[in-house]
Amino acid sequence: MPEVGSVALLMSLLFTIYSIIAYIVGLIKKNKKLLKSAQNGVFTNAILTTVASISLLYALITSDFSIKYVAHYTNQALPLFYKISAFWAGNSGSLLLWFWVLSIYAAIIALSKKPEGAKMRPYASLIIMIIGLFFAALLNFEANPFTELGFVPQDGQGLNPMLQNVGMVIHPVTLYLGYVGFTVPFAFAMAALFLKKSGATWIKLTRKWTLISWLFLSIGIISGGQWAYVELGWGGYWAWDPVENASLLPWLTSTAFLHSVMIQERKGMLKVWNVLLIIITFVLTLFGTFLTRSGVLSSVHAFGESKVGLYFLIFMGVVLAGALNLFAINRKTLESENEFESILSKESSFLFNNLLLVGAAFATFWGTIYPIISEAIRGVKVTVGPPFYNQVNVPIGILLVILTGICPLIAWRKSSFKNLKKNFMIPFVLSLISALGFYVIFNIRSLYPLLATTSCFFVLITIFLEFYRGVKARMKMTDEGVMTSLVRLISRNRRRYGGYIVHLAVIIMVIGITGSSAYQKEMEVTVNKGEVIEYHDYNITYNGLKINEDPNKTTVYADLDVRRNGKSYTTLRPAKQYFKTSEEPVTEVDFKSSIKEDLYLILAGWTDSGQKAIFKVIINPLIGWLFFGVNILIIGTLIAVWPDKRQRSIELLKEMHRDG
C-alpha cells in the first residue's frame, strides 16, 4: 500500500505540472482543446490525491508500521477513531490533507459549467494549480507520508495523548477547510486583476466560497478552544498562544473582507481595499501554517522544528510579492465609482468596522512575531503575554460589537436625523437602562465588562427590532401568522436575515467570553475521603479514587457527588490518565454546564493511596454561551449562503454587462 500512495503522489506532481503548462499555453494561444486538457489534468490530480489519502488512511487503520508516519503516530492499542485522526496529527499527513482539499476545490472550479466567470475560471484554476505545485513538491521531496522505515517494528509509538480527544478530530479538519477555501477567492481576485476586470464579478462568483471558508475557520477556532478547555486542564479556552493567534488573524481579515465586499457590490467602492484584504487573508493562512511547522515559536499546537517551515516562509514571500506586484500594475483599474458622502452612513460605518478588524489583526500579528524580532535583534526572545493582547483587543472588540448594531441599520449615502431617531432611539434608551441594571442588580462594576454587556444588549435590541419590523410589515401585507411571516421573511431575504442571525451568534459568544474572562472564580483545596468541599453554591463530596484500565491507558479518577443549593446536582469524575505510550500523565477534567455557569474540576494530585486528594475547583460564568453560539453561527451562515437564484441571476447579468 505505501507503494500505491507514493506513486499516486508522484503522478499528482506530474499532472499538476502538466496542467500548469497546458493552462499557460492554452491561454496564450487561446486553444480550447488545450484548456480542456488542462481541466482534465486538474480532475485527474484530484483523483490521484484521493488515492494517496485513502492509501494513508488504510495504512493507519491496518497499522502498517513499515511506514514511518504510521509507526510514529499510531500503535496497536489506539482506538480506530484516533487511528483515522492520526492522518493529520503529524506534519506530512496534515500537508497531504491540505493538498487533498485544495485538489478537490480546484477540480470543482475547473469543471464548473456555469457561464458566468467563464473568462476568469482558467486563470483562477492556473493560480490554484501553481499553489498546489508547492504542496505537491513538498510531499514528494521533503515530507512524504509514505516514507518507509526499512524494517517493521512490533508496535508504533502511538498518538500524543493530548490529541486523543474529539476536539482534535474536528478542529484541524475544519481549520484546514477554512484555510484552503480562501485560495479560491484569492485566485479569482488575481484573475480579475490580470484581466483588468474591476467590477464585483469575482466577488459574486466567490461569495459562497468565502462564506463557507469563513464558517469552517470559525468552527475550527471555536472547536480548538473547546479542545483546550476540556483537554489541557487549566480552566480556560484561549491563551493567546502564537498558533491560536495565527488562526485568528485570517479570521479577522476575512471578516473585514466579507463586510467590505458588500460596499463594492452595492456602490462600486473599496475595490482596492477588497483586493488587499483577500491577499492578506490568503497570505495569513500560509503564515499560520509556517508557524506550526517552523519551530520558531513554542506552542502546544505546533509540530516542532522542520525544514518545511523555511519552505513555507519562502513560498509566502513569493506569493505576497507576486500578488502585490500584480496589484500595483493594475492599481488604476480599481478606481472607486462613488465617493463617501457622509461620516454618518452605512458606507462609513462599514469602513470603520474594517479598520478596527484590521487594527486588531495588526496588533495580534505584532505581538505574535515580536519574540522572533526581539531574538533576531537582541539575541533574547521576549514573550508577549495575554495582558498585551487584552489591553489592545478588548476595547477594539467592544467598539466592534457596537458597530455590529449600527452598521445594518444606518442609511446608505447620508443618514438623516429622522433615520437615526427611528432606528436607534429605542435601542439606545433601553441600553442605558440595561447598563444601570447590570451595575445595580448584577453588580457589574468593572468598566470593560459593563461596556461589553451593555453593548451586547444594544445589538440584541437592534436585531430584535429588525425582525419585528419585518414580520409586522409582512403580516400587514399578507395576513400571514407570526411564524409563517418569520419563516418567509428569512427565506426571501436570506442574505440579510442570515447575516442578522450570524450577528446574534457573535453576540451570544461575546457574552460567554465576557462572563468567563471577567468573573472566573477558582480555588485549590486538599480534602480527605468523605470530606465536603464548600464553594459558593456547591457542596462537593469526595468519595475516593477509582481505577479503570483499557488496552490503551490506565485511568485514575476521583468520584465526587455534587449538590447545588442543597439539592443533588451531578456526579463528576476528574482524572489522571496514564497512556502506555507516554511517561507523563494527562489531566482529564470533568465539568457540569448550565446556562449560568460551568462547575469545572481538576484532579491535581493525591497522597496516602487516594485517602487525601488535591482538587482545583473553577466556576466559569456563562462559558456555555460561547460554545452554544457557534451552533447559531452555523445556522445563520448556511441561511446567508443558501442560493437565491432569482436575485443572483439579476446581479450577475448587471455585473457581466459592466465588465463587458
Side-chain angles (χ1 to χ4, degrees), residues 409-524:
L409 302 186
I410 200 167
W412 291 97
R413 296 180 60 188
K414 185 177 182 180
S415 188
S416 65
F417 177 76
K418 183 179 180 180
N419 169 264
L420 294 174
K421 182 179 179 181
K422 175 187 174 183
N423 290 324
F424 297 108
M425 179 60 74
I426 293 175
F428 179 72
V429 172
L430 291 178
S431 296
L432 289 179
I433 296 172
S434 73
L436 183 61
F438 292 138
Y439 186 85
V440 175
I441 300 173
F442 294 100
N443 200 34
I444 300 176
R445 303 296 171 89
S446 299
L447 177 61
Y448 284 154
L450 183 60
L451 288 174
T453 50
T454 304
S455 301
C456 286
F457 187 81
F458 167 75
V459 179
L460 290 175
I461 293 297
T462 61
I463 293 172
F464 171 79
L465 287 176
E466 277 298 283
F467 277 93
Y468 171 76
R469 288 165 181 160
V471 169
K472 184 180 178 181
R474 185 169 182 85
M475 288 175 66
K476 186 176 181 180
M477 290 187 298
T478 63
D479 293 327
E480 296 170 343
V482 175
M483 290 307 300
T484 302
S485 292
L486 177 61
V487 170
R488 291 183 177 175
L489 178 73
I490 294 172
S491 66
R492 298 191 179 188
N493 301 272
R494 294 174 189 144
R495 188 171 178 180
R496 178 181 180 183
Y497 287 97
Y500 288 153
I501 293 171
V502 170
H503 287 174
L504 173 64
V506 170
I507 294 307
I508 289 171
M509 289 190 281
V510 169
I511 291 171
I513 292 169
T514 302
S516 58
S517 301
Y519 296 101
Q520 184 188 75
K521 309 177 189 73
E522 66 175 75
M523 67 174 291
E524 188 169 298

Side-chain angles (χ1 to χ4, degrees), residues 314-356:
I314 295 170
F315 181 62
M316 185 169 58
V318 171
V319 169
L320 183 60
L324 291 179
N325 183 58
L326 185 59
F327 165 78
I329 292 172
N330 297 281
R331 169 67 179 82
K332 290 184 179 179
T333 66
L334 299 174
E335 296 294 334
S336 292
E337 298 168 22
N338 292 287
E339 299 293 334
F340 287 97
E341 297 184 29
S342 171
I343 195 171
L344 293 176
S345 65
K346 191 182 291 288
E347 297 94 317
S348 295
S349 66
F350 271 75
L351 180 60
F352 293 147
N353 175 78
N354 278 13
L355 291 173
L356 288 171

Side-chain angles (χ1 to χ4, degrees), residues 502-569:
V502 170
H503 287 174
L504 173 64
V506 170
I507 294 307
I508 289 171
M509 289 190 281
V510 169
I511 291 171
I513 292 169
T514 302
S516 58
S517 301
Y519 296 101
Q520 184 188 75
K521 309 177 189 73
E522 66 175 75
M523 67 174 291
E524 188 169 298
V525 60
T526 302
V527 292
N528 294 309
K529 184 177 179 179
E531 193 173 345
V532 177
I533 303 169
E534 296 182 359
Y535 194 53
H536 292 274
D537 299 333
Y538 301 97
N539 293 316
I540 307 165
T541 304
Y542 171 52
N543 298 319
L545 295 182
K546 296 181 180 180
I547 298 176
N548 182 47
E549 294 195 35
D550 62 44
N552 192 36
K553 63 185 180 299
T554 298
T555 302
V556 179
Y557 65 90
D559 184 67
L560 300 124
D561 290 325
V562 182
R563 298 180 70 83
R564 184 180 183 183
N565 295 321
K567 298 179 181 179
S568 180
Y569 184 55

Side-chain angles (χ1 to χ4, degrees), residues 38-313:
Q39 290 178 0
N40 293 336
V42 173
F43 181 69
T44 304
N45 178 61
I47 294 174
L48 289 167
T49 56
T50 301
V51 170
S53 299
I54 292 173
S55 299
L56 182 58
L57 282 169
Y58 180 81
L60 291 165
I61 291 169
T62 59
S63 299
D64 185 353
F65 297 131
S66 66
I67 299 175
K68 183 179 179 181
Y69 187 84
V70 177
H72 190 77
Y73 291 104
T74 67
N75 63 338
Q76 294 283 3
L78 191 67
L80 176 62
F81 188 67
Y82 295 119
K83 285 183 178 180
I84 294 173
S85 70
F87 186 111
W88 48 84
N91 199 5
S92 56
S94 64
L95 287 173
L96 176 56
L97 175 63
W98 187 302
F99 186 42
W100 184 20
V101 173
L102 182 64
S103 299
I104 293 172
Y105 286 177
I108 294 171
I109 294 298
L111 299 177
S112 174
K113 301 294 184 182
K114 295 179 180 179
E116 58 266 21
K119 292 181 180 179
M120 289 186 194
R121 197 175 296 117
Y123 292 91
S125 295
L126 171 61
I127 293 166
I128 294 172
M129 293 310 289
I130 291 172
I131 294 166
L133 177 61
F134 169 72
F135 288 93
L138 276 183
L139 286 165
N140 277 279
F141 302 120
E142 184 60 38
N144 193 320
F146 299 102
T147 300
E148 296 187 62
L149 281 171
F151 66 96
V152 183
Q154 290 186 346
D155 204 358
Q157 297 178 28
L159 187 65
N160 185 331
M162 288 194 299
L163 301 182
Q164 296 184 39
N165 179 277
V166 176
M168 275 294 104
V169 176
I170 300 171
H171 166 63
V173 175
T174 51
L175 204 63
Y176 283 4
L177 287 170
Y179 276 176
V180 182
F182 285 116
T183 308
V184 176
F186 168 77
F188 273 93
M190 295 302 98
L193 275 179
F194 187 82
L195 293 170
K196 297 183 175 5
K197 291 185 177 294
S198 63
T201 300
W202 71 272
I203 290 172
K204 292 180 172 68
L205 289 170
T206 60
R207 176 178 171 269
K208 187 183 297 185
W209 286 95
T210 306
L211 273 169
I212 293 296
S213 300
W214 179 86
L215 175 62
F216 277 128
L217 184 55
S218 302
I219 296 171
I221 292 171
I222 297 299
S223 61
Q226 197 164 25
W227 166 77
Y229 185 64
V230 303
E231 187 65 32
L232 298 185
W234 59 286
Y237 49 86
W238 189 268
W240 295 107
D241 176 277
V243 177
E244 290 175 345
N245 295 349
S247 65
L248 179 64
L249 291 171
W251 186 89
L252 290 168
T253 56
S254 62
T255 303
F257 175 72
L258 281 170
H259 286 84
S260 64
V261 292
M262 289 188 282
I263 305 300
Q264 182 171 342
E265 287 181 87
R266 180 72 178 261
K267 294 290 185 178
M269 302 164 65
L270 299 181
K271 295 179 182 181
V272 170
W273 187 248
N274 289 330
V275 171
L276 288 176
L277 277 176
I278 198 59
I279 291 173
I280 293 169
T281 297
F282 177 66
V283 170
L284 285 174
T285 65
L286 298 177
F287 175 73
T289 313
F290 158 72
L291 279 188
T292 58
R293 288 164 174 81
S294 64
V296 296
L297 290 172
S298 176
S299 168
V300 70
H301 307 273
F303 290 116
E305 191 170 353
S306 165
K307 287 183 181 178
V308 172
L310 175 61
Y311 299 139
F312 260 95
L313 182 62

